[in-house]
Amino acid sequence: MTTTERPATERLVIIGGDAAGMSAASQARRMKGPDELEIVAFERGHFSSFSACGIPYWVSGDVGERDELIARTPEEHRKRSIDLRMRTEVTEIDVAGRRVRSRDLETGEDAWTGWDKLVIATGARPVRPALPGIDAPGVHGVQTLDDGQALLDTLDRAAGRRAVVVGAGYIGVEMAEALLKHGYEVTVVNRGEQPMATLDPDMGRLVHEAMSGMGITTVSGTAVTAILTGDDGRARAVATDDAEYPADVVVLGLGVEPETTLARAAGLPLGRHGGLLTDLAMRVRGHDDIWAGGDCVEVLDLVSGRERHIALGTHANKHGQIIGANAGGGYGTFPGVVGTAVSKVCDLEIARTGLREKDAREVGLQYVTATIESTSRAGYFPGAAPMTVKMLAERRTGRLLGVQIVGREGAAKRVDIAAVALTAGLTVEQVTALDLGYAPPFSPVWDPVQVAARKATAAVRAGG
Amino acid sequence: MTTTERPATERLVIIGGDAAGMSAASQARRMKGPDELEIVAFERGHFSSFSACGIPYWVSGDVGERDELIARTPEEHRKRSIDLRMRTEVTEIDVAGRRVRSRDLETGEDAWTGWDKLVIATGARPVRPALPGIDAPGVHGVQTLDDGQALLDTLDRAAGRRAVVVGAGYIGVEMAEALLKHGYEVTVVNRGEQPMATLDPDMGRLVHEAMSGMGITTVSGTAVTAILTGDDGRARAVATDDAEYPADVVVLGLGVEPETTLARAAGLPLGRHGGLLTDLAMRVRGHDDIWAGGDCVEVLDLVSGRERHIALGTHANKHGQIIGANAGGGYGTFPGVVGTAVSKVCDLEIARTGLREKDAREVGLQYVTATIESTSRAGYFPGAAPMTVKMLAERRTGRLLGVQIVGREGAAKRVDIAAVALTAGLTVEQVTALDLGYAPPFSPVWDPVQVAARKATAAVRAGG
């Protein structure tokens, strides 16, 4: 085993060569040149800085080439004097000794590398329940580019055209669309009451209905008990308590959990979702020279005041940028999230921000709800597409608590209005007065979010 | 002359049967039934509650039928016990005597009507400079449905296919699109440095370039001196100081000014733009029982702290709703605007909110600017369309002051993010941390508004 001692200049070591890690590296490099700061990054995979969120669209064929999902190659990072070591897995963090142990996955060689500053950006791993048959050929995750390529290979070769997607969250519904585009007959099996458990069930029902209209079968309230295999050992069906769903391909879309095995072994503080806990500057709590960001950390939900785990590239990029600024001697903070997410299944757009009803109840907030139908453009304008907006407001104070939108073109990004309003702590009555962009091709004279806010305002007044 | 005395129940009289006036009527009616409140509304035109903003799209053919622009007919209002008197023009407001004089435009008969509460919603009139030839046949405004019909008739009959639009504001550029769709060769003549004077000139230049690409000729920095007429008395060309532009049809798109002739004669308070001045409850200042709203009032700009005149249906509807609540014994206020506006020319989307550079200078605000290029979706996602975002931030404090966006599909409504942030008084650094909807079909991993905010944050830090 070799040991790379710390050089005379400071050394920043980064574990994880994806969005958070490499954003941190890039920002730190902008702050300090190589004569002041050495940057070493370890990535166990074959790719750096790729868009995991883009994989469903590569599988679907919307994005033609895998490499389009790569924001920056290892070579590009190295040109900026970032020593990015690919296929090299960090196997231990020695906090007291300020060093990490790594293994070159090609040669099997171990090495210690010292650090002055450390960034943990180990990401998330897909939830993969210990079901019989889960490792059979024909069962696919969609977390990495290698996963995506393996799935595409299977889709080309599969004997039949029946696909089962396990899980009906973002990845599940996006993969349902992708499989549909490959000509598959798609069944989504889902433990929750409705697809998209990040929505309230009444809004999830709208997603269910729309997916039915696209020819996607959604089976809800059912847990998968096994993946059944054929004589050739390949997956042939997905079994639940009460049924079997034949499958030529099975896609796992059960979400992800923080990859914090290393951090846990090193005794670093983890939250109730298993993610690293940081301060506002993204420093691991209690550790001045260790930062963490991206899918491996928990973030503060500004509406509920609770920590949450949200794996999303946009947060990872922000974390990385802030970590890089701080590690590079600058200053930045990440105040928290409000839980905004957008997605689509074919032409159905789905968006949410803030609290669902159950979230509000969980933290003791009493609320009123308002649900309205409106359109993306003036009702008389061609292409005006329907949308349903549900809004939660705190009882008595009228503070906006959450918004969910299900609709067609032009629906999803309207959630940003609510996301900013939530961040600012506006009441639903204040939302009714917002000066939003209006012209017939872009909005009805009252934006749908404001139509919901008017109804919510009335509900607050009536609510006692 | 007949006199309708005030009845035993209270009477609310409304001058103007369009967005503000009829929203007020409807909301007041929701608050109080006909046994408690009589509502009389006067409208001098042929139509009630129509979308003036929709006229360019009716002329263009995007909207098939005139009547689609009518949100509610006189009969529909009357069914809700609103006594809407069409083709009846109010000719005098007697404030001390609490009555209005009106003239039935069909019979010529005058009458006095007493009121307990009065709403002034007289709207705006198009700017129509006293140029030679301005009243010639072939010269068209586009303020009313009658205007729209007259223009459509001319477009069908015109001898040639050359159109000149005078003015390059919202109406001007929207009409350029409409005329292009009718197969006209379009020239837009414009006094300003660039089209869209509601943008800074550097952003207006992008509009100019895009319009050129569509085949629309834009002549800027040129004032029209006359409309030249032919032997038949019809408009044949538009003359400026240094050129003549042949025209088979001329469209005036010079914007509007508050229609406050009656209010001025009655001694009610007007601001420096000629609009009525109200308090936060939309009461005319100094008059407890008189409200005013819509295109005839000035509104507070929350960013500059100055009064502005903005004729926009979305404000008129909000004003009406608030006036109706207050006149009906409820409570509501209109806090002000931030100056948000969106528009399009063919597939070019244009948006702005907050202050331009000249607005900031005018009120003594020092600022930095940041202009960036980004895309509407992840760069690798099909349909990712380019957009340019310009952002102004206050020097030192970093407070967001304004945003301008010029781009293609998906650009304009992003301005809402900035509109809410301006209302909440966020800094550009706070904008960088907002939790906005991200998925590859909807946004790059950093929303374009946040890319601009990052650059503006850096500019604030560097700015001293």
Side-chain angles (χ1 to χ4, degrees), chain B residues 74-282:
Chain B
E75 293 66 37
E76 288 171 311
H77 286 299
R78 287 180 196 126
K79 269 190 204 146
R80 301 168 152 223
S81 304
I82 294 163
D83 179 4
L84 172 55
R85 304 181 187 174
M86 299 300 296
R87 297 287 291 144
T88 308
E89 179 167 15
V90 172
T91 54
E92 186 181 342
I93 300 170
D94 177 0
V95 172
R98 295 196 162 225
R99 56 182 191 161
V100 296
R101 184 159 65 171
S102 63
R103 172 165 299 166
D104 183 321
L105 297 177
E106 307 292 344
T107 65
E109 200 178 317
D110 280 1
W112 284 102
T113 306
W115 47 264
D116 300 287
K117 294 173 172 176
L118 178 67
V119 176
I120 304 173
T122 43
R125 58 173 175 257
V127 170
R128 218 179 152 87
L131 295 174
I134 190 110
D135 293 320
V139 180
H140 292 269
V142 282
Q143 176 76 358
T144 66
L145 293 178
D146 290 337
D147 291 343
Q149 190 58 59
L151 174 56
L152 277 168
D153 293 344
T154 293
L155 293 180
D156 288 345
R157 286 191 318 244
R161 279 287 176 269
R162 291 166 307 182
V164 174
V165 178
V166 183
Y170 294 102
I171 296 289
V173 302
E174 289 165 5
M175 289 311 302
E177 171 182 345
L179 293 162
L180 206 61
K181 286 189 173 166
H182 278 269
Y184 276 75
E185 192 181 297
V186 184
T187 302
V188 180
V189 181
N190 166 39
R191 206 166 49 180
E193 186 181 337
Q194 295 288 351
M196 297 304 294
T198 52
L199 305 179
D200 283 324
D202 52 346
M203 296 296 282
R205 187 175 48 75
L206 302 181
V207 177
H208 173 101
E209 288 164 6
M211 288 172 70
S212 295
M214 297 166 196
I216 299 168
T217 304
T218 310
V219 183
S220 293
T222 307
V224 170
T225 53
I227 312 292
L228 307 180
T229 52
D231 293 342
D232 58 358
R234 292 189 63 83
R236 63 163 182 82
V238 170
T240 66
D241 275 332
D242 46 16
E244 273 183 29
Y245 301 93
D248 301 292
V249 60
V250 177
V251 174
L252 301 177
L254 289 164
V256 297
E257 56 198 12
E259 175 51 272
T260 46
T261 312
L262 286 175
R264 184 184 300 273
L268 296 175
L270 304 182
R272 67 186 177 115
H273 306 288
L276 275 155
L277 296 176
T278 74
D279 65 13
L280 288 167
M282 302 308 297

Side-chain angles (χ1 to χ4, degrees), chain A residues 349-422:
Chain A
E349 298 191 1
I350 305 162
R352 53 96 66 221
T353 190
L355 307 185
R356 295 164 300 180
E357 294 196 43
K358 65 184 266 194
D359 301 321
R361 282 196 300 269
E362 193 181 309
V363 294
L365 286 166
Q366 294 191 18
Y367 59 88
V368 298
T369 70
T371 302
I372 62 93
E373 310 280 328
S374 184
T375 53
S376 58
R377 306 167 187 244
Y380 57 78
F381 200 88
M387 74 180 79
T388 305
V389 181
K390 177 173 180 174
M391 186 172 279
L392 271 70
E394 189 181 13
R395 180 183 168 196
R396 293 233 296 268
T397 71
R399 181 166 61 103
L400 177 66
L401 295 180
V403 165
Q404 298 162 44
I405 307 177
V406 175
R408 305 282 165 165
E409 197 193 343
K413 273 295 262 180
R414 277 185 155 84
V415 81
D416 286 346
I417 297 163
V420 187
L422 276 171

Side-chain angles (χ1 to χ4, degrees), chain A residues 27 30 51 53-54 57 62-63 68-69 312-315 317-318 321 331-332 334-340 342-344 349 380-382 409 412-417 419-421 423-424 426 429 432-443 445-447 450 454 461, chain B residues 27 30 51 53-54 57 62-63 68-69 312-315 317-318 321 331-332 334-340 342-344 349 380-382 409 412-417 419-421 423-424 426 429 432-443 445-447 450 454 461:
Chain A
Q27 184 60 30
R30 273 182 222 115
S51 169
C53 326
Y57 305 103
D62 284 326
V63 175
E68 294 182 52
L69 300 184
L312 208 52
T314 187
H315 299 325
N317 273 275
K318 291 186 179 93
Q321 204 254 333
Y331 176 59
F334 184 79
V337 304
V338 293
T340 311
V342 297
S343 187
K344 77 179 194 70
E349 298 191 1
Y380 57 78
F381 200 88
E409 197 193 343
K413 273 295 262 180
R414 277 185 155 84
V415 81
D416 286 346
I417 297 163
V420 187
T423 306
L426 300 191
E429 185 159 8
T432 66
L434 288 171
D435 183 3
L436 303 176
Y438 163 64
F442 298 108
S443 179
V445 74
W446 290 90
D447 189 279
Q450 294 185 305
R454 284 175 69 181
R461 284 185 186 152
Chain B
Q27 183 61 30
R30 274 181 221 118
S51 169
C53 325
Y57 305 102
D62 284 324
V63 176
E68 295 181 51
L69 299 183
L312 208 50
T314 187
H315 299 326
N317 273 274
K318 291 187 179 92
Q321 205 255 332
Y331 175 60
F334 184 78
V337 303
V338 293
T340 311
V342 296
S343 188
K344 74 178 195 74
E349 298 190 3
Y380 57 78
F381 201 87
E409 196 193 341
K413 272 294 261 181
R414 276 189 156 81
V415 82
D416 286 346
I417 297 163
V420 187
T423 305
L426 301 190
E429 186 160 7
T432 65
L434 288 170
D435 183 3
L436 303 176
Y438 161 65
F442 298 108
S443 178
V445 73
W446 291 90
D447 190 279
Q450 293 185 307
R454 284 175 68 181
R461 284 186 185 151

Side-chain angles (χ1 to χ4, degrees), chain A residues 32 51 204-205 260 310 341 438 441:
Chain A
K32 286 194 171 163
S51 169
R205 188 176 47 76
T260 47
I310 301 175
Y438 163 64

Side-chain angles (χ1 to χ4, degrees), chain A residues 78 122 210 227 246 262 292 308 354:
Chain A
R78 288 183 195 125
T122 43
I227 313 293
L262 286 175
R308 295 180 58 185

